Amino acid sequence: MPLCTITHSYIFMLLWTLFGACLVATVIGYKPVVIVHGLFDSSGVFVELLRFINQSHPGTNVSVIDLFDRSSSLQPLWKQVEGFKEAIYPIMQNAADGVHFICYSQGGLICRGILSTLPNHNVHSFISLSSPQAGQYGDTDYLKYLFPQFMKSNLFHFCYTGVGQRISICNYWKDPHHTDMYVNGSDYLALLNSERSNPNSTVWKKNFLRIKKLVLIGGPDDGVITPWQSSQFGFYNDNETVVEIKDQDLYLRDVFGLKTLNARGDLFLCSMAGVEHVKWHSNDTVFNTCIEKWLV
């Protein structure tokens, strides 16, 4: 009789433990993660990032969107926004508790386009990983490869034309010495930033502010994003002096929600030295410091 009692008690405790484990697993279930690549990249570059996520948050459903790879990443950003949106929307629909975005380099601007134009998105954390959110203006290796006949000082001649705007990098090329031409010629970034008259600006702001957290990651040794502070919405004035995010007109006027996010306590900047542009997604310190805690 005592043995039978012990056995029953043991089974009861075992079942209760298993039930508790299942309950905890359900409660702490991780939201799906969507990853969008950058210029000249493809889904294959995120092997290390996938490993980091699987180790820290096992069981997470991670989707690396395999669209506009390599040279196709030069296609106009609005075209890419529509393509990525079509691929990502079903993932959102199947995620009752929402999803997280990790958007790298040019992909960060694509994700902003999605978030601004999709009224019923359910993105929780938008993690912008070394993305030229305030624009790009620098003589980098990318520029020399794409436009060998141009330097940063004269690329405006091409970028702010109808032909130039068919190439993705020109959609966010921002020459601080030719602001009027940028505002009138940029069909993408100037609209996202409401620097150019945009009848959809109020709706886009409302859509963008559906996110719960905005995490802006970048650093001084990036070597590609120029100025590197663009990854955190800082940018050059006409003297090529960097004006930080909180002194930028687009923040002060809260044109698409940065000031609101900050007032809500939902805007986070993570700066890290010693990281080259192509290493952001494979650096475990970057992941542990700037990304991991937002993927819950």
Side-chain angles (χ1 to χ4, degrees), residues 252-267:
L252 294 170
R253 292 194 298 116
D254 201 28
V255 292
F256 60 88
L258 287 178
K259 194 172 184 179
T260 296
L261 284 168
N262 192 47
R264 277 173 20 188
D266 295 329
L267 174 62

Side-chain angles (χ1 to χ4, degrees), residues 52-287:
F52 297 153
I53 295 172
N54 287 330
Q55 286 179 343
S56 64
H57 298 127
T60 300
N61 182 4
V62 183
S63 301
V64 186
I65 309 302
D66 192 19
L67 285 174
F68 299 101
D69 294 350
R70 301 178 181 88
S71 61
S72 293
S73 65
L74 290 170
Q75 294 192 45
L77 289 189
W78 283 123
K79 181 178 181 180
Q80 295 194 50
V81 165
E82 291 307 310
F84 277 104
K85 191 189 299 184
E86 184 177 351
I88 292 169
Y89 191 59
I91 301 172
M92 293 180 178
Q93 288 181 306
N94 290 324
D97 294 328
V99 303
H100 299 306
F101 271 8
I102 302 177
C103 308
Y104 169 62
S105 195
Q106 179 178 276
L109 288 170
I110 293 170
C111 288
R112 269 187 69 199
I114 294 171
L115 295 170
S116 297
T117 59
L118 192 58
N120 55 346
H121 75 76
N122 59 355
V123 174
H124 194 279
S125 296
F126 170 28
I127 300 170
S128 174
L129 185 59
S130 189
S131 174
Q133 293 291 354
Q136 172 75 6
Y137 184 70
D139 287 322
T140 65
D141 289 340
Y142 282 75
L143 182 68
K144 294 170 186 174
Y145 173 75
L146 285 171
F147 307 105
Q149 73 276 33
F150 288 103
M151 296 181 65
K152 69 177 185 180
S153 59
N154 58 13
L155 187 58
F156 73 93
H157 289 294
F158 173 74
C159 270
Y160 302 143
T161 65
V163 175
Q165 287 296 299
R166 296 176 189 171
I167 299 176
S168 64
I169 190 172
C170 285
N171 292 157
Y172 51 93
W173 185 257
K174 188 173 182 179
D175 189 325
H177 306 292
H178 298 90
T179 303
D180 288 344
M181 292 185 68
Y182 156 73
V183 168
N184 293 319
S186 172
D187 292 335
Y188 191 80
L189 186 61
L191 286 174
L192 276 184
N193 288 348
S194 290
E195 295 164 302
R196 178 174 170 182
S197 179
N198 177 11
N200 299 310
S201 59
T202 301
V203 173
W204 286 11
K205 179 178 179 178
K206 181 180 179 181
N207 295 342
F208 186 74
L209 284 172
R210 288 178 62 87
I211 64 174
K212 308 303 182 198
K213 308 290 179 187
L214 174 59
V215 183
L216 303 171
I217 303 170
D221 301 306
D222 182 275
V224 171
I225 306 303
T226 312
W228 75 265
Q229 292 91 340
S230 179
S231 59
Q232 299 173 343
F233 285 101
F235 204 72
Y236 295 127
N237 61 16
D238 57 6
N239 292 320
E240 294 193 32
T241 300
V242 173
V243 179
E244 301 289 350
I245 178 174
K246 290 186 179 179
D247 294 317
Q248 288 285 340
D249 181 66
L250 56 80
Y251 176 90
L252 294 170
R253 292 194 298 116
D254 201 28
V255 292
F256 60 88
L258 287 178
K259 194 172 184 179
T260 296
L261 284 168
N262 192 47
R264 277 173 20 188
D266 295 329
L267 174 62
F268 304 92
L269 277 57
C270 191
S271 305
M272 188 165 294
V275 184
E276 298 175 13
H277 187 68
V278 296
K279 301 293 186 181
W280 285 103
H281 47 71
S282 60
N283 186 302
D284 57 352
T285 303
V286 171
F287 180 81

